[in-house]
Structures are given as structure tokens and as C-alpha cells.
């Protein structure tokens, strides 16, 4: 497979503290990767660097063959990188259907749908996404009436609607019930069948349900990388990642 994301020597400092330290990291197209590590390891910072929220002190970020180092977040979004934050971001008073619609790929102002007829192909795509996220029965409900888990699934659907090449998911199961976490993990696996996904997740039950290949960060550097079954047996990983019992 072709390399989609390639990071070399990435270093960032905040208030004199080094958060990422000469980090090398890469992902192939159509790969599902889970990013692990203790608090403060640099996981969320790495995602913020990829999406342009933070600028690197040194190093480079290449995406789909283009050097996007230092690009603005809007420009990075346009080339196909979308991020989901821990707190869902949506249009609260719009319906579930309309939230997905305004997220469809292409130039579309948020309220343009009020004056624009939805094309048949667009409507079909919206219903496909609603079925994917399990919210087809709530298509006409306002987003602010959804449960916490449903809001997370809607935002995942909105990201899919924008047709990104790379989805960055930062702890999407936070605050969910066990059932909600299981359903979200299955949804992410389905999304990963047609998208490249980088997931930050702490819950090892979710990680085991999803993970194929994992990368463990520690103190801003790559500590280990490979199949989950191999990485969790690494004694160094066990020692630094929240104790030996974490992986049992």
C-alpha cells in the first residue's frame, strides 16, 4: 500500500517543555491505527500538529505526497484530513439528516440547504450514512435531543460525509456506557473499511475490539509499534503504560 501520512523529526515545544521529541511516524492508505500511551505522552498534540492547530518547532509532515508542514487548519481540511474531538461538534438545532447534509463533500454553506433542493444522489448518500451510524430512525430529530452516544455517532457520520482521506479520532468513547463503547468500536471498524483512521483511545476493551496495529508514545517519542498482541507483551510498554495490569 502507498504511504498516506509521513512525519519525520517532528518536535514541538510549549512554554519551554518538549511535547513531541524528534518523532517519526507514518501510516499507509486504508489503515486503522490506534495510538496508545500514558497521559502526557503527546498523543493529542500529535493530532493537533497533523491538523494544523499547533505548528512544529522542527520536522516535517507530508500527506498524500504533499508537504503540509505549517499549513492552516482550513487548508489541511481541504486536502482530506478531518478530526473528531472528544466533545461532539454539530449544529444543535438542525435535524440529524440536515447535520449530515451540510457536511457533504464540496462547497456548501451551512444554511444553504434552506434554499437548495437536495439532489437524489445526495439524499441517497445521506441515508447510507444514517444507516451506517444507526440513526436512520432519528433522521428528523433535532441534534440537541440525542443522547451522548448518539451525538458521537452523528459527528462520526458528519466526518464520513465530508469524505476525508484520513480521520483523526480523539477518544470518541469517553463518557459512554459499555454498550455504547462496543457499538462505537464496531462503527469505527466499519468506517475503517473505506477510510484511513488514526484513533487515540485509553479503554483497552475498545482497543482490543478495534486494533490491528498500534503505536505507543512515551515522552513524545515512539516507544513501540506493531500488532497489538505483540506490543502488549513488551515489558517496557507494560512498565510505562499505566502498569502491568493494564493489558491483562
Amino acid at each position: 500500500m502507498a504511504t498516506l501520512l509521513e512525519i519525520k523529526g517532528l518536535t514541538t515545544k510549549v512554554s519551554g517543555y518538549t511535547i513531541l521529541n524528534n518523532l517519526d511516524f507514518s501510516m499507509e492508505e486504508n489503515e486503522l491505527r490506534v495510538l496508545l500511551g500514558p497521559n502526557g505522552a503527546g498523543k493529542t498534540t500529535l493530532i493537533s500538529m497533523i491538523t494544523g492547530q499547533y505548528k512544529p518547532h522542527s520536522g516535517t509532515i507530508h500527506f498524500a505526497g504533499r508537504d503540509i508542514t505549517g499549513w492552516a487548519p482550513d487548508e489541511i481540511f481541504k486536502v482530506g484530513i478531518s478530526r473528531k474531538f472528544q466533545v461532539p461538534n454539530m449544529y444543535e438545532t438542525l435535524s440529524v439528516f440536515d447535520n449530515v447534509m451540510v457536511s457533504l463533500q464540496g462547497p456548501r454553506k451551512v444554511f444553504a440547504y434552506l434554499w437548495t433542493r437536495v439532489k437524489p444522489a445526495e439524499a441517497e448518500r445521506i441515508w447510507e450514512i444514517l444507516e451506517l451510524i444507526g440513526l436512520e430512525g432519528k433522521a428528523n430529530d433535532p441534534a440537541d435531543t440525542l443522547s451522548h452516544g448518539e451525538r458521537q455517532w452523528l459527528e462520526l457520520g458528519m466526518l464520513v460525509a465530508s469524505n476525508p482521506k484520513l480521520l483523526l479520532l480523539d477518544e470518541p468513547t469517553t463518557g459512554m456506557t459499555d454498550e455504547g463503547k462496543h457499538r462505537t468500536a464496531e462503527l469505527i471498524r466499519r468506517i475503517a473499511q473505506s477510510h484511513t483512521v488514526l484513533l487515540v483511545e485509553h479503554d483497552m476493551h475498545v482497543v482490543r475490539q478495534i486494533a490491528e496495529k498500534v503505536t505507543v508514545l512515551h515522552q513524545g517519542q515512539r516507544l513501540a509499534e506493531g500488532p497489538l498482541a505483540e506490543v502488549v507483551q513488551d515489558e517496557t510498554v507494560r512498565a510505562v503504560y499505566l502498569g502491568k495490569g493494564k493489558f491483562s
Side-chain angles (χ1 to χ4, degrees):
M1 293 184 183
T3 299
L4 181 65
L5 176 69
E6 186 168 18
I7 294 171
K8 287 188 175 295
L10 197 64
T11 299
T12 185
K13 299 180 180 180
V14 178
S15 301
Y17 292 95
T18 299
I19 308 301
L20 295 178
N21 186 11
N22 197 33
L23 177 68
D24 292 340
F25 178 83
S26 65
M27 290 184 67
E28 296 180 342
E29 292 181 354
N30 298 320
E31 181 183 354
L32 170 59
R33 182 81 63 86
V34 178
L35 200 58
L36 300 175
N39 291 332
K43 305 182 299 298
T44 297
T45 298
L46 174 58
I47 288 180
S48 296
M49 299 284 283
I50 295 170
T51 52
Q53 273 81 25
Y54 297 158
K55 308 302 180 186
H57 180 78
S58 61
T60 59
I61 303 172
H62 283 80
F63 178 73
R66 305 173 73 175
D67 186 347
I68 63 170
T69 311
W71 283 22
D74 286 350
E75 294 302 314
I76 291 174
F77 174 79
K78 289 177 183 177
V79 297
I81 299 178
S82 292
R83 174 180 184 176
K84 186 192 180 310
F85 292 86
Q86 293 181 25
V87 178
N89 181 24
M90 60 194 60
Y91 305 106
E92 300 284 346
T93 59
L94 297 186
S95 70
V96 170
F97 184 97
D98 288 344
N99 265 279
V100 176
M101 183 175 66
V102 300
S103 302
L104 289 174
Q105 185 185 29
R108 180 188 295 272
K109 295 181 179 179
V110 173
F111 294 105
Y113 77 95
L114 290 172
W115 299 277
T116 304
R117 182 185 298 273
V118 180
K119 298 176 182 178
E122 291 180 324
E124 182 178 357
R125 177 60 178 154
I126 293 167
W127 283 109
E128 286 177 355
I129 292 171
L130 292 177
E131 291 175 5
L132 172 70
I133 62 177
L135 293 180
E136 66 273 23
K138 297 195 173 186
N140 295 321
D141 294 0
D144 60 6
T145 65
L146 299 179
S147 69
H148 172 69
E150 290 168 341
R151 290 165 65 86
Q152 299 283 7
W153 302 331
L154 174 55
E155 191 179 19
L156 284 171
M158 293 168 66
L159 290 180
V160 171
S162 69
N163 198 27
K165 297 176 183 175
L166 173 63
L167 278 80
L168 306 173
L169 309 180
D170 192 359
E171 299 188 49
T173 67
T174 298
M176 288 188 179
T177 63
D178 288 343
E179 180 183 357
K181 290 178 180 180
H182 180 81
R183 287 185 60 180
T184 302
E186 286 302 308
L187 173 56
I188 292 171
R189 285 183 63 87
R190 292 198 298 272
I191 291 173
Q193 292 175 3
S194 55
H195 296 81
T196 306
V197 177
L198 176 60
L199 168 71
V200 174
E201 181 57 65
H202 278 297
D203 190 309
M204 287 304 298
H205 294 291
V206 174
V207 173
R208 290 185 184 280
Q209 188 177 345
I210 293 176
E212 298 171 356
K213 184 176 182 179
V214 301
T215 298
V216 181
L217 297 186
H218 179 54
Q219 297 180 347
Q221 295 182 317
R222 187 174 55 183
L223 178 66
E225 186 172 275
L228 177 64
E230 295 179 8
V231 169
V232 298
Q233 298 302 320
D234 186 293
E235 291 300 324
T236 304
V237 172
R238 285 172 169 264
V240 303
Y241 188 46
L242 301 181
K244 293 178 179 290
K246 180 70 177 180
F247 300 111
S248 59

